[in-house]
Amino acid sequence: MADSAKATELDAVVIGAGFSGLYMLRRLRDELGVSARVFETGDEVGGTWYWNRYPGARCDSEAYMYCFSFDKELLQEWNWSGKYPEQPEILRYLSHVADRFDLRRDIQFNTRVTAARFNEATNRWEIETDQGDHVTAQFLITGIGCLSAGQVPDIKGLDTFEGDWYHTGAWPHDGVDLKGKRVGVIGTGSSGVQSIPVIAEQAAHLTVFQRTPQFTIPARHHTVDRDYLNDVKANYDALWDKARKSAGGFPVDPSELSALEVSDEQRQAIYEAGWAEGGFKFFFGSFKDIAVDRRANDTASEFIRSKIREIVKDPATADKLVPTDHPFSSKRALIDTNYFETYNRDNVELVDIRHSPIQEITPKGIRTEDGEYELDIIVFATGFDAMTGTFFKMDIRGRNDLPLKEKWATGPKTYLGLSSHGFPNMFMITGPGSPSVLSNMPVSIEQHVEFISDFIEYLRERDISVVEADADAEEAWVAHVNEIANMTLYPLANSWYLGANIPGKPRVFMPYPGGVGAYREKCDEVAANDYDGFVLGNASEHFARVPHESARIQIP
Ligand code: N01
């Protein structure tokens, strides 16, 4: 086996030791037999699950499918405790994977990659880290996650605050003692909706500063027993097969019904059943047209609004919590445990900062147009510079010394979310333009890792040292992603999918919304056609200028 610890000339460098980096290393080192090193900023494996330790952090994919499928014994031996795994359990799982496959010896922890430049004379990447490493590698592979560059808004006066403040995505490892404290949470996305009910139970008082009200569905989390696990494990092959061919990477049967073709009573009964069962089945399993037809969506949106009004006892608070400015699921769909119920507690107050914006952070708390809220702790559940932010924290330069940040100045441009023209031998695991955040991540990660490692094997067998996305194939793919996005309701919300949460970020829909099944078929077809849409060999002059119709696929 390759041992990369001392080498400065490697076959591959992988950035990040989360789900992506761990599996990539396993494939490269143990199946292809190439030398590979993973650089990881944290002092342990886990990626997202290493950093996001805020109260209530848990996954909203069901546990039995939020894991690797590449090793059947691993699947059989790990026992999840409940429907939705909590952060510490996922971290334990990833640590177990690292141990089981002896991955740590090729991971360099506490090391941030600061720069990577493609040397056109050698066809190799030159990589630098904040620990003074200078290594070269034929392939640069990013496993940096889609949501890892935390975003703390630039609010006047934060530096004057006398209390403590934290971002949910960089939560202290020893936890934060909230007992007896007056806590303010800014943000009501996934992190806010998960943490608010838990913080409310611990803190003396909680003030939630809400800019956009959210649609959220009850998770109905529960523990699972031995019979449940046995049943899942006996059926794993079929479940994974179904998930891989599905839209979202879950083994669910999508509804064939239109919300507009059933009676009011039938529609209500279907929504009630989804609400009672909980989780994303409300979305996938109810009606086929919620995500694409505004009138169909209105029925789901209105159902959830009525539930909010039913749950929240104070009508004025309920009014503030009812979303009216975007359709259900046009922002990231959310599931929760006791989110709306939390606003019935005596120690919780909701501040609508859309109508009464935050003016400044003072030494004592937060001042909005309505007055000052005194706080001991501020929690920023304000999200991430998604999909591109982590790339831009590194100085990545391709051919002609072109910075990636410059190439993507008007929005990320990739072929299949895997590769960007002008950046040869660089692969992105779940990069912009792939299903990534619109899917159950491990399913998408495994597919990308397998595509990349099969591609590297193909190149090595043919002694091809350099490969690059074709410019026209890339353009066609970007256009195709936008075309599908425009067939959905996603563009109707200001979401991080579109970069709308970051001031000045170009408004471009970043993930691929055509579904993991259709996307996998496209990638398989590309591979079967000798990696159509990639230029193989060091031949920038060979870049065809003809449009690649093959980069287009039909939305399923
Ligand atoms: O971040 P978000 P997140 N002033 O961007 C508000 C994944 N995830 O960390 O909607 C005031 O969704 C912002 O308001 P608005 C998941 O993919 C998964 O919660 O922009 N408020 C919003 O309310 C998720 O989508 C899991 O108007 C400001 C909130 O902060 C993604 O990570 C758990 C503001 C940010 O919401 C990100 O989720 C956690 C400002 N200047 C995360 N800036 C699970 O698996 C932003 N906001 C369950």
Side-chain angles (χ1 to χ4, degrees), residues 444-478:
S444 287
I445 287 169
E446 284 194 332
Q447 186 258 335
H448 262 191
V449 167
E450 286 158 17
F451 182 95
I452 294 166
S453 52
D454 289 351
F455 198 178
I456 290 177
E457 193 173 19
Y458 175 99
L459 297 169
R460 289 170 69 86
E461 279 169 4
R462 287 160 183 75
D463 213 13
I464 299 171
S465 60
V466 64
V467 63
E468 181 171 356
D470 174 80
D472 295 311
E474 178 172 294
E475 232 168 79
W477 183 254
V478 172

mmCIF file of all heavy atoms in Angstrom, residues 444-478:
data_model
loop_
_atom_site.group_PDB
_atom_site.id
_atom_site.type_symbol
_atom_site.label_atom_id
_atom_site.label_comp_id
_atom_site.label_asym_id
_atom_site.label_seq_id
_atom_site.Cartn_x
_atom_site.Cartn_y
_atom_site.Cartn_z
ATOM 1 N N SER A 444 -24.729 10.952 -3.597
ATOM 2 C CA SER A 444 -24.051 11.758 -4.622
ATOM 3 C C SER A 444 -22.537 11.683 -4.475
ATOM 4 O O SER A 444 -21.804 11.656 -5.467
ATOM 5 C CB SER A 444 -24.513 13.215 -4.524
ATOM 6 O OG SER A 444 -25.827 13.313 -5.005
ATOM 7 N N ILE A 445 -22.067 11.653 -3.243
ATOM 8 C CA ILE A 445 -20.617 11.592 -3.015
ATOM 9 C C ILE A 445 -20.054 10.269 -3.555
ATOM 10 O O ILE A 445 -19.040 10.258 -4.265
ATOM 11 C CB ILE A 445 -20.309 11.764 -1.511
ATOM 12 C CG1 ILE A 445 -20.540 13.221 -1.104
ATOM 13 C CG2 ILE A 445 -18.877 11.311 -1.186
ATOM 14 C CD1 ILE A 445 -20.525 13.472 0.398
ATOM 15 N N GLU A 446 -20.711 9.170 -3.247
ATOM 16 C CA GLU A 446 -20.201 7.878 -3.737
ATOM 17 C C GLU A 446 -20.152 7.863 -5.265
ATOM 18 O O GLU A 446 -19.197 7.375 -5.860
ATOM 19 C CB GLU A 446 -21.064 6.728 -3.227
ATOM 20 C CG GLU A 446 -20.806 6.401 -1.754
ATOM 21 C CD GLU A 446 -21.393 5.065 -1.332
ATOM 22 O OE1 GLU A 446 -22.392 4.639 -1.924
ATOM 23 O OE2 GLU A 446 -20.835 4.457 -0.397
ATOM 24 N N GLN A 447 -21.191 8.404 -5.881
ATOM 25 C CA GLN A 447 -21.230 8.387 -7.348
ATOM 26 C C GLN A 447 -20.076 9.215 -7.919
ATOM 27 O O GLN A 447 -19.396 8.794 -8.852
ATOM 28 C CB GLN A 447 -22.587 8.923 -7.825
ATOM 29 C CG GLN A 447 -22.807 8.809 -9.322
ATOM 30 C CD GLN A 447 -22.593 10.122 -10.037
ATOM 31 O OE1 GLN A 447 -22.739 11.185 -9.436
ATOM 32 N NE2 GLN A 447 -22.245 10.055 -11.310
ATOM 33 N N HIS A 448 -19.811 10.372 -7.338
ATOM 34 C CA HIS A 448 -18.710 11.204 -7.831
ATOM 35 C C HIS A 448 -17.356 10.539 -7.599
ATOM 36 O O HIS A 448 -16.500 10.536 -8.474
ATOM 37 C CB HIS A 448 -18.751 12.588 -7.158
ATOM 38 C CG HIS A 448 -19.404 13.631 -7.997
ATOM 39 N ND1 HIS A 448 -19.363 14.971 -7.717
ATOM 40 C CD2 HIS A 448 -20.119 13.519 -9.146
ATOM 41 C CE1 HIS A 448 -20.012 15.636 -8.661
ATOM 42 N NE2 HIS A 448 -20.492 14.775 -9.520
ATOM 43 N N VAL A 449 -17.169 10.006 -6.404
ATOM 44 C CA VAL A 449 -15.876 9.377 -6.095
ATOM 45 C C VAL A 449 -15.623 8.219 -7.064
ATOM 46 O O VAL A 449 -14.511 8.050 -7.580
ATOM 47 C CB VAL A 449 -15.855 8.892 -4.627
ATOM 48 C CG1 VAL A 449 -14.667 7.974 -4.374
ATOM 49 C CG2 VAL A 449 -15.823 10.085 -3.670
ATOM 50 N N GLU A 450 -16.669 7.455 -7.330
ATOM 51 C CA GLU A 450 -16.487 6.311 -8.231
ATOM 52 C C GLU A 450 -16.239 6.777 -9.667
ATOM 53 O O GLU A 450 -15.396 6.215 -10.365
ATOM 54 C CB GLU A 450 -17.701 5.365 -8.119
ATOM 55 C CG GLU A 450 -17.629 4.608 -6.790
ATOM 56 C CD GLU A 450 -18.954 4.046 -6.284
ATOM 57 O OE1 GLU A 450 -19.901 3.947 -7.081
ATOM 58 O OE2 GLU A 450 -19.030 3.717 -5.076
ATOM 59 N N PHE A 451 -16.926 7.835 -10.087
ATOM 60 C CA PHE A 451 -16.683 8.379 -11.431
ATOM 61 C C PHE A 451 -15.222 8.834 -11.534
ATOM 62 O O PHE A 451 -14.514 8.514 -12.490
ATOM 63 C CB PHE A 451 -17.626 9.553 -11.712
ATOM 64 C CG PHE A 451 -17.483 10.144 -13.092
ATOM 65 C CD1 PHE A 451 -18.297 9.742 -14.132
ATOM 66 C CD2 PHE A 451 -16.498 11.100 -13.352
ATOM 67 C CE1 PHE A 451 -18.155 10.275 -15.417
ATOM 68 C CE2 PHE A 451 -16.337 11.637 -14.628
ATOM 69 C CZ PHE A 451 -17.173 11.225 -15.661
ATOM 70 N N ILE A 452 -14.768 9.583 -10.548
ATOM 71 C CA ILE A 452 -13.409 10.145 -10.595
ATOM 72 C C ILE A 452 -12.369 9.020 -10.563
ATOM 73 O O ILE A 452 -11.409 9.020 -11.343
ATOM 74 C CB ILE A 452 -13.193 11.135 -9.423
ATOM 75 C CG1 ILE A 452 -14.105 12.367 -9.594
ATOM 76 C CG2 ILE A 452 -11.726 11.561 -9.314
ATOM 77 C CD1 ILE A 452 -14.228 13.239 -8.340
ATOM 78 N N SER A 453 -12.559 8.053 -9.683
ATOM 79 C CA SER A 453 -11.522 7.012 -9.606
ATOM 80 C C SER A 453 -11.541 6.135 -10.858
ATOM 81 O O SER A 453 -10.481 5.739 -11.352
ATOM 82 C CB SER A 453 -11.603 6.192 -8.318
ATOM 83 O OG SER A 453 -12.880 5.701 -8.137
ATOM 84 N N ASP A 454 -12.727 5.878 -11.413
ATOM 85 C CA ASP A 454 -12.761 5.112 -12.679
ATOM 86 C C ASP A 454 -12.070 5.900 -13.792
ATOM 87 O O ASP A 454 -11.366 5.339 -14.629
ATOM 88 C CB ASP A 454 -14.217 4.843 -13.103
ATOM 89 C CG ASP A 454 -14.894 3.825 -12.203
ATOM 90 O OD1 ASP A 454 -14.197 3.208 -11.366
ATOM 91 O OD2 ASP A 454 -16.125 3.660 -12.322
ATOM 92 N N PHE A 455 -12.269 7.204 -13.778
ATOM 93 C CA PHE A 455 -11.674 8.066 -14.811
ATOM 94 C C PHE A 455 -10.137 8.045 -14.669
ATOM 95 O O PHE A 455 -9.402 7.903 -15.658
ATOM 96 C CB PHE A 455 -12.226 9.485 -14.640
ATOM 97 C CG PHE A 455 -12.076 10.384 -15.841
ATOM 98 C CD1 PHE A 455 -12.574 11.684 -15.804
ATOM 99 C CD2 PHE A 455 -11.453 9.953 -17.006
ATOM 100 C CE1 PHE A 455 -12.453 12.538 -16.900
ATOM 101 C CE2 PHE A 455 -11.336 10.791 -18.108
ATOM 102 C CZ PHE A 455 -11.827 12.084 -18.050
ATOM 103 N N ILE A 456 -9.669 8.160 -13.450
ATOM 104 C CA ILE A 456 -8.210 8.155 -13.241
ATOM 105 C C ILE A 456 -7.634 6.801 -13.683
ATOM 106 O O ILE A 456 -6.585 6.741 -14.333
ATOM 107 C CB ILE A 456 -7.881 8.468 -11.761
ATOM 108 C CG1 ILE A 456 -8.218 9.940 -11.472
ATOM 109 C CG2 ILE A 456 -6.408 8.174 -11.432
ATOM 110 C CD1 ILE A 456 -8.005 10.383 -10.034
ATOM 111 N N GLU A 457 -8.342 5.743 -13.388
ATOM 112 C CA GLU A 457 -7.870 4.415 -13.805
ATOM 113 C C GLU A 457 -7.805 4.348 -15.340
ATOM 114 O O GLU A 457 -6.834 3.861 -15.917
ATOM 115 C CB GLU A 457 -8.835 3.359 -13.266
ATOM 116 C CG GLU A 457 -8.278 1.954 -13.380
ATOM 117 C CD GLU A 457 -9.184 0.947 -12.685
ATOM 118 O OE1 GLU A 457 -10.372 1.262 -12.448
ATOM 119 O OE2 GLU A 457 -8.687 -0.146 -12.381
ATOM 120 N N TYR A 458 -8.826 4.856 -15.982
ATOM 121 C CA TYR A 458 -8.895 4.885 -17.455
ATOM 122 C C TYR A 458 -7.686 5.645 -18.016
ATOM 123 O O TYR A 458 -7.027 5.203 -18.955
ATOM 124 C CB TYR A 458 -10.211 5.559 -17.848
ATOM 125 C CG TYR A 458 -10.455 5.798 -19.314
ATOM 126 C CD1 TYR A 458 -11.243 4.933 -20.071
ATOM 127 C CD2 TYR A 458 -9.933 6.933 -19.945
ATOM 128 C CE1 TYR A 458 -11.493 5.174 -21.415
ATOM 129 C CE2 TYR A 458 -10.173 7.181 -21.289
ATOM 130 C CZ TYR A 458 -10.953 6.300 -22.025
ATOM 131 O OH TYR A 458 -11.195 6.550 -23.353
ATOM 132 N N LEU A 459 -7.390 6.785 -17.416
ATOM 133 C CA LEU A 459 -6.277 7.608 -17.900
ATOM 134 C C LEU A 459 -4.943 6.901 -17.702
ATOM 135 O O LEU A 459 -4.072 6.906 -18.579
ATOM 136 C CB LEU A 459 -6.260 8.959 -17.163
ATOM 137 C CG LEU A 459 -7.484 9.853 -17.375
ATOM 138 C CD1 LEU A 459 -7.477 11.020 -16.387
ATOM 139 C CD2 LEU A 459 -7.524 10.387 -18.815
ATOM 140 N N ARG A 460 -4.806 6.285 -16.546
ATOM 141 C CA ARG A 460 -3.538 5.595 -16.240
ATOM 142 C C ARG A 460 -3.336 4.408 -17.170
ATOM 143 O O ARG A 460 -2.228 4.172 -17.651
ATOM 144 C CB ARG A 460 -3.504 5.177 -14.774
ATOM 145 C CG ARG A 460 -3.345 6.376 -13.826
ATOM 146 C CD ARG A 460 -3.560 5.987 -12.399
ATOM 147 N NE ARG A 460 -2.496 5.144 -11.885
ATOM 148 C CZ ARG A 460 -1.359 5.603 -11.355
ATOM 149 N NH1 ARG A 460 -1.140 6.896 -11.281
ATOM 150 N NH2 ARG A 460 -0.452 4.768 -10.904
ATOM 151 N N GLU A 461 -4.394 3.681 -17.426
ATOM 152 C CA GLU A 461 -4.275 2.532 -18.337
ATOM 153 C C GLU A 461 -3.822 2.963 -19.724
ATOM 154 O O GLU A 461 -3.154 2.232 -20.433
ATOM 155 C CB GLU A 461 -5.627 1.823 -18.454
ATOM 156 C CG GLU A 461 -5.898 0.880 -17.288
ATOM 157 C CD GLU A 461 -7.346 0.388 -17.270
ATOM 158 O OE1 GLU A 461 -8.132 0.715 -18.206
ATOM 159 O OE2 GLU A 461 -7.692 -0.292 -16.304
ATOM 160 N N ARG A 462 -4.195 4.178 -20.105
ATOM 161 C CA ARG A 462 -3.861 4.667 -21.454
ATOM 162 C C ARG A 462 -2.668 5.621 -21.441
ATOM 163 O O ARG A 462 -2.370 6.256 -22.450
ATOM 164 C CB ARG A 462 -5.083 5.371 -22.071
ATOM 165 C CG ARG A 462 -6.143 4.378 -22.472
ATOM 166 C CD ARG A 462 -7.505 5.010 -22.627
ATOM 167 N NE ARG A 462 -8.507 3.995 -22.946
ATOM 168 C CZ ARG A 462 -9.004 3.137 -22.048
ATOM 169 N NH1 ARG A 462 -8.588 3.165 -20.788
ATOM 170 N NH2 ARG A 462 -9.892 2.221 -22.417
ATOM 171 N N ASP A 463 -2.069 5.755 -20.280
ATOM 172 C CA ASP A 463 -0.900 6.616 -20.149
ATOM 173 C C ASP A 463 -1.208 8.067 -20.562
ATOM 174 O O ASP A 463 -0.387 8.741 -21.195
ATOM 175 C CB ASP A 463 0.247 6.053 -21.002
ATOM 176 C CG ASP A 463 1.587 6.331 -20.343
ATOM 177 O OD1 ASP A 463 1.571 6.713 -19.155
ATOM 178 O OD2 ASP A 463 2.619 6.204 -21.022
ATOM 179 N N ILE A 464 -2.374 8.527 -20.211
ATOM 180 C CA ILE A 464 -2.756 9.916 -20.512
ATOM 181 C C ILE A 464 -2.504 10.733 -19.240
ATOM 182 O O ILE A 464 -3.015 10.393 -18.173
ATOM 183 C CB ILE A 464 -4.245 10.000 -20.909
ATOM 184 C CG1 ILE A 464 -4.491 9.173 -22.167
ATOM 185 C CG2 ILE A 464 -4.680 11.444 -21.096
ATOM 186 C CD1 ILE A 464 -5.959 8.997 -22.526
ATOM 187 N N SER A 465 -1.731 11.792 -19.371
ATOM 188 C CA SER A 465 -1.307 12.473 -18.144
ATOM 189 C C SER A 465 -2.162 13.679 -17.790
ATOM 190 O O SER A 465 -2.101 14.188 -16.685
ATOM 191 C CB SER A 465 0.154 12.907 -18.270
ATOM 192 O OG SER A 465 0.275 13.783 -19.366
ATOM 193 N N VAL A 466 -2.969 14.132 -18.739
ATOM 194 C CA VAL A 466 -3.723 15.345 -18.440
ATOM 195 C C VAL A 466 -5.103 15.291 -19.080
ATOM 196 O O VAL A 466 -5.282 14.762 -20.181
ATOM 197 C CB VAL A 466 -2.910 16.600 -18.862
ATOM 198 C CG1 VAL A 466 -2.691 16.647 -20.355
ATOM 199 C CG2 VAL A 466 -3.567 17.881 -18.398
ATOM 200 N N VAL A 467 -6.058 15.840 -18.354
ATOM 201 C CA VAL A 467 -7.446 15.807 -18.827
ATOM 202 C C VAL A 467 -8.138 17.100 -18.390
ATOM 203 O O VAL A 467 -7.810 17.659 -17.344
ATOM 204 C CB VAL A 467 -8.164 14.579 -18.255
ATOM 205 C CG1 VAL A 467 -8.253 14.638 -16.744
ATOM 206 C CG2 VAL A 467 -9.561 14.440 -18.828
ATOM 207 N N GLU A 468 -9.059 17.546 -19.222
ATOM 208 C CA GLU A 468 -9.671 18.842 -18.929
ATOM 209 C C GLU A 468 -11.075 18.900 -19.522
ATOM 210 O O GLU A 468 -11.323 18.350 -20.597
ATOM 211 C CB GLU A 468 -8.779 19.917 -19.581
ATOM 212 C CG GLU A 468 -9.231 21.313 -19.372
ATOM 213 C CD GLU A 468 -8.165 22.310 -19.859
ATOM 214 O OE1 GLU A 468 -7.073 21.870 -20.278
ATOM 215 O OE2 GLU A 468 -8.431 23.506 -19.809
ATOM 216 N N ALA A 469 -11.974 19.577 -18.833
ATOM 217 C CA ALA A 469 -13.323 19.742 -19.379
ATOM 218 C C ALA A 469 -13.258 20.592 -20.639
ATOM 219 O O ALA A 469 -12.551 21.604 -20.668
ATOM 220 C CB ALA A 469 -14.221 20.419 -18.351
ATOM 221 N N ASP A 470 -13.989 20.172 -21.641
ATOM 222 C CA ASP A 470 -14.066 20.945 -22.871
ATOM 223 C C ASP A 470 -14.903 22.209 -22.633
ATOM 224 O O ASP A 470 -15.945 22.149 -21.964
ATOM 225 C CB ASP A 470 -14.717 20.076 -23.952
ATOM 226 C CG ASP A 470 -14.972 20.857 -25.209
ATOM 227 O OD1 ASP A 470 -14.026 21.039 -25.975
ATOM 228 O OD2 ASP A 470 -16.123 21.320 -25.395
ATOM 229 N N ALA A 471 -14.469 23.329 -23.202
ATOM 230 C CA ALA A 471 -15.135 24.614 -22.934
ATOM 231 C C ALA A 471 -16.596 24.610 -23.386
ATOM 232 O O ALA A 471 -17.480 25.118 -22.689
ATOM 233 C CB ALA A 471 -14.382 25.739 -23.641
ATOM 234 N N ASP A 472 -16.865 24.008 -24.532
ATOM 235 C CA ASP A 472 -18.238 24.039 -25.037
ATOM 236 C C ASP A 472 -19.141 23.066 -24.290
ATOM 237 O O ASP A 472 -20.315 23.353 -24.060
ATOM 238 C CB ASP A 472 -18.243 23.740 -26.536
ATOM 239 C CG ASP A 472 -17.526 24.842 -27.297
ATOM 240 O OD1 ASP A 472 -17.834 26.020 -27.050
ATOM 241 O OD2 ASP A 472 -16.629 24.525 -28.092
ATOM 242 N N ALA A 473 -18.564 21.934 -23.921
ATOM 243 C CA ALA A 473 -19.355 20.981 -23.129
ATOM 244 C C ALA A 473 -19.738 21.633 -21.801
ATOM 245 O O ALA A 473 -20.855 21.475 -21.302
ATOM 246 C CB ALA A 473 -18.537 19.713 -22.890
ATOM 247 N N GLU A 474 -18.808 22.382 -21.263
ATOM 248 C CA GLU A 474 -19.069 23.068 -19.989
ATOM 249 C C GLU A 474 -20.171 24.127 -20.152
ATOM 250 O O GLU A 474 -21.106 24.194 -19.352
ATOM 251 C CB GLU A 474 -17.775 23.722 -19.525
ATOM 252 C CG GLU A 474 -17.920 24.517 -18.241
ATOM 253 C CD GLU A 474 -16.550 24.962 -17.738
ATOM 254 O OE1 GLU A 474 -15.758 24.092 -17.356
ATOM 255 O OE2 GLU A 474 -16.287 26.174 -17.748
ATOM 256 N N GLU A 475 -20.051 24.899 -21.202
ATOM 257 C CA GLU A 475 -21.064 25.937 -21.429
ATOM 258 C C GLU A 475 -22.454 25.328 -21.583
ATOM 259 O O GLU A 475 -23.438 25.818 -21.030
ATOM 260 C CB GLU A 475 -20.714 26.685 -22.719
ATOM 261 C CG GLU A 475 -20.660 28.179 -22.552
ATOM 262 C CD GLU A 475 -20.040 28.807 -23.776
ATOM 263 O OE1 GLU A 475 -20.767 28.933 -24.771
ATOM 264 O OE2 GLU A 475 -18.840 29.138 -23.736
ATOM 265 N N ALA A 476 -22.500 24.229 -22.335
ATOM 266 C CA ALA A 476 -23.793 23.565 -22.557
ATOM 267 C C ALA A 476 -24.336 23.020 -21.239
ATOM 268 O O ALA A 476 -25.539 23.075 -20.983
ATOM 269 C CB ALA A 476 -23.626 22.440 -23.575
ATOM 270 N N TRP A 477 -23.441 22.513 -20.397
ATOM 271 C CA TRP A 477 -23.903 21.952 -19.117
ATOM 272 C C TRP A 477 -24.452 23.058 -18.210
ATOM 273 O O TRP A 477 -25.514 22.922 -17.612
ATOM 274 C CB TRP A 477 -22.771 21.187 -18.418
ATOM 275 C CG TRP A 477 -23.263 20.551 -17.147
ATOM 276 C CD1 TRP A 477 -23.017 20.950 -15.880
ATOM 277 C CD2 TRP A 477 -24.158 19.430 -17.050
ATOM 278 N NE1 TRP A 477 -23.686 20.147 -14.978
ATOM 279 C CE2 TRP A 477 -24.399 19.202 -15.673
ATOM 280 C CE3 TRP A 477 -24.787 18.596 -17.981
ATOM 281 C CZ2 TRP A 477 -25.229 18.176 -15.216
ATOM 282 C CZ3 TRP A 477 -25.620 17.574 -17.519
ATOM 283 C CH2 TRP A 477 -25.823 17.381 -16.153
ATOM 284 N N VAL A 478 -23.743 24.174 -18.154
ATOM 285 C CA VAL A 478 -24.196 25.295 -17.310
ATOM 286 C C VAL A 478 -25.568 25.775 -17.796
ATOM 287 O O VAL A 478 -26.488 26.004 -16.998
ATOM 288 C CB VAL A 478 -23.163 26.450 -17.334
ATOM 289 C CG1 VAL A 478 -23.711 27.692 -16.639
ATOM 290 C CG2 VAL A 478 -21.858 26.006 -16.669
#
